[in-house]
Amino acid sequence: MKKMLLIQTAFIGDVVLATALLEKIKLTYPEIKLHILVRKGNESLFDNHPYIQKVWIWNKRQSKYRNLFKLLFQIRNEKFDAVINVQRYAATAFLTVLSGAKETVGFNTHILSKFYTIAIQHQFNNTDKTLHEIERNQQLIAHFTGNEPAMPKLYYNQTVLASIQHLIQPPYICVAPASVWFTKQFPAEKWVEFLQKIPDDLLVYFLGGPSDFDLCSQIAPQLANKHVVNLAGQISFLQSAALMQHAVMNYVNDSAPMHFASAVNAPVAAIFCSTIPNFGYGPLSTEKYIIEVNEKLNCRPCGLHGKKACPQKHFHCALHIQPEQLLQPLLQKL
């Protein structure tokens, strides 16, 4: 196998987890030429990536299907030995089936999967025996790499590190307070409650995308006597990952920054509000802490991806988490 395309056009956290496949494939075939297809906006994750020969970009926001057909003709011209589709939806299945690759592999979650060379059953549950997402994805390549998954990994070079060197002034913590989904986001007032209790000599960096800047700006003024810097939307994905790797602790929701921490093996405290780790998306860092409500709630989990509002209108899964739960993993390191 000489040339392979990996497709993962979902959101950024899913793409980060899919990098585990790149690691495993490259370990198995050191000389292979790897390409990856991602949605527009996620391509910078692979700046200077040592294993990726080409990053293909699908612009979903403008002329979505015209761009898809354009990609199809370009991909067919590449004559891939294999296309591995991590996505589970029809558009990328269409691209995979018609790619012209000798081998096409994906999950059997839609009707087009019957045209794959290999269709893998997608296993998902929330029992104690649930698979982590990297284990589910590993099944796509297990027939030529074995069952043991690799860890996800992001690569940043010395240029990226030098660009944030002035920020790496320990001791500091990183806080990524936002989430796309309301019920996966630890509330602003709870972040304030926790951060008011941390030692005064700790520097706090807020991380996130441009859309998270306002939330961070809402929290920061309430932290009297704390040194806080709002970096949301101000630094790149890889700069954020590098900053997290050198932090005393990283505080995140069940969201993309948690997977950033996993991909650079950074210490992480992951807060699960409406979702649960048994869905298979928990942190993978060597030093990791799961923070969730202690009481048993019949309404939790209320959904796989979170919701725009609490269905029960009380949001106990977040509001009943105590600041001491967040403080404990930090104080035992200081």
Side-chain angles (χ1 to χ4, degrees):
M1 202 173 293
K2 298 178 180 179
K3 193 176 183 181
M4 183 183 295
L5 172 66
L6 186 73
I7 299 176
Q8 179 49 290
T9 61
F11 292 109
I12 186 169
D14 300 298
V15 178
V16 173
L17 290 177
T19 63
L21 296 180
L22 300 175
E23 297 294 312
K24 190 69 174 187
I25 292 167
K26 192 66 174 179
L27 180 65
T28 307
Y29 293 102
E31 303 302 318
I32 198 168
K33 295 179 180 178
L34 281 172
H35 294 213
I36 191 166
L37 170 62
V38 297
R39 70 191 298 159
K40 184 175 178 60
N42 290 345
E43 63 271 18
S44 64
L45 283 171
F46 300 98
D47 289 348
N48 302 300
H49 194 290
Y51 298 163
I52 299 297
Q53 185 180 59
K54 181 173 181 178
V55 179
W56 298 79
I57 303 168
W58 180 19
N59 187 346
K60 291 185 174 185
R61 293 190 175 184
Q62 294 181 343
S63 305
K64 177 178 179 179
Y65 293 108
R66 185 175 68 182
N67 289 330
L68 184 69
F69 276 94
K70 184 179 178 180
L71 277 170
L72 174 61
F73 290 113
Q74 292 173 334
I75 287 170
R76 287 180 64 86
N77 287 335
E78 291 287 337
K79 303 187 185 309
F80 287 103
D81 291 302
V83 172
I84 311 296
N85 184 12
V86 190
Q87 272 282 65
R88 303 191 299 275
Y89 302 108
T92 53
F94 166 81
L95 200 63
T96 303
V97 169
L98 297 180
S99 66
K102 298 173 186 176
E103 183 174 287
T104 55
V105 184
F107 290 113
N108 65 344
T109 51
H110 42 72
I111 192 169
L112 289 176
S113 65
K114 66 181 180 180
F115 298 107
Y116 289 155
T117 306
I118 301 175
I120 303 296
Q121 182 180 1
H122 185 257
Q123 300 180 34
F124 185 89
N125 56 52
N126 62 352
T127 69
D128 290 338
K129 296 181 179 179
T130 191
L131 297 176
H132 194 280
E133 181 71 355
I134 66 167
E135 295 174 307
R136 286 192 284 259
N137 290 344
Q138 177 63 26
Q139 294 175 332
L140 296 171
I141 62 171
H143 60 287
F144 65 87
T145 69
N147 293 321
E148 187 67 25
M151 291 289 287
K153 190 168 183 180
L154 292 176
Y155 292 87
Y156 58 85
N157 58 21
Q158 287 300 314
T159 301
V160 170
L161 187 59
S163 69
I164 61 162
Q165 197 65 54
H166 64 290
L167 298 174
I168 302 177
Q169 302 174 11
Y172 69 86
I173 64 171
C174 294
V175 176
S179 171
V180 173
W181 300 101
F182 173 83
T183 62
K184 291 174 74 171
Q185 180 172 292
F186 199 49
E189 64 270 23
K190 298 294 290 187
W191 283 116
V192 171
E193 186 181 8
F194 155 59
L195 291 170
Q196 284 176 336
K197 295 178 179 294
I198 67 171
D200 290 341
D201 63 338
L202 269 182
L203 177 59
V204 179
Y205 289 126
F206 283 119
L207 302 180
S211 61
D212 305 326
F213 184 86
D214 288 346
L215 173 63
C216 297
S217 296
Q218 174 189 344
I219 298 171
Q222 302 180 61
L223 302 174
N225 302 319
K226 306 297 181 187
H227 188 183
V228 178
V229 180
N230 186 357
L231 296 175
Q234 310 301 304
I235 59 177
S236 71
F237 294 148
L238 293 180
Q239 286 174 317
S240 296
L243 196 62
M244 294 175 79
Q245 189 170 25
H246 292 84
V248 175
M249 185 58 65
N250 297 281
Y251 287 91
V252 298
N253 296 299
D254 175 14
S255 58
M258 175 176 64
H259 305 311
F260 280 27
S262 295
V264 294
N265 199 23
V268 63
I271 304 170
F272 284 79
C273 298
S274 68
T275 54
I276 57 175
N278 278 351
F279 282 155
Y281 297 95
L284 296 166
S285 299
T286 302
E287 185 181 355
K288 58 183 178 291
Y289 305 89
I290 301 295
I291 298 169
E292 54 190 339
V293 65
N294 288 324
E295 63 188 283
K296 178 67 175 178
L297 298 174
N298 293 331
C299 55
R300 179 176 182 265
C302 63
L304 174 59
H305 297 296
K307 297 182 181 296
K308 294 181 179 179
C310 171
Q312 302 297 319
K313 304 187 186 305
H314 54 58
F315 205 20
H316 286 173
C317 61
L319 295 175
H320 285 192
I321 294 175
Q322 301 304 313
E324 289 72 24
Q325 293 176 253
L326 282 72
L327 274 171
Q328 184 177 1
L330 175 63
L331 295 181
Q332 68 186 30
K333 294 191 66 175
L334 297 176

